[in-house]
Amino acid sequence: MGEEASAYEALVLGTRDYVRKCGFQRAIIGLSGGIDSALTASIAADALGPENVIGVGMPGRIRRKGRLTNAANWPRT
């Protein structure tokens, strides 16, 4: 496994562990449509299962064309 994959798996494991220790089963993720939102949503979906993660499009004053489209296409398949 490469360094990036190992780091990603560590993030998934840490998120899953934290959520379980806190007694939660689901998460709500605010999505801007940017790469940081996509990565956060992917980690949460892999940690909790996509059926346990809700993505909410967050409003903003400045929005690049296509960002909401990117957020709307989440979760990844």
Side-chain angles (χ1 to χ4, degrees):
M1 186 181 307
E3 189 175 318
E4 292 87 0
S6 292
Y8 183 84
E9 289 303 318
L11 290 167
V12 169
L13 179 64
T15 300
R16 183 182 300 127
D17 185 51
Y18 178 79
V19 169
R20 286 182 181 165
K21 284 182 180 180
C22 290
F24 300 122
Q25 296 175 346
R26 293 177 280 169
I28 298 173
I29 307 291
L31 302 173
S32 67
I35 191 70
D36 53 339
S37 293
L39 180 59
T40 301
S42 292
I43 291 167
D46 286 344
L48 309 175
E51 69 279 2
N52 294 314
V53 179
I54 297 171
V56 178
M58 303 301 290
R61 284 192 252 165
I62 301 172
R63 182 150 336 262
R64 287 186 185 166
K65 185 176 181 178
R67 278 194 158 195
L68 285 181
T69 302
N70 293 342
N73 288 329
W74 181 86
R76 62 188 166 88
T77 55

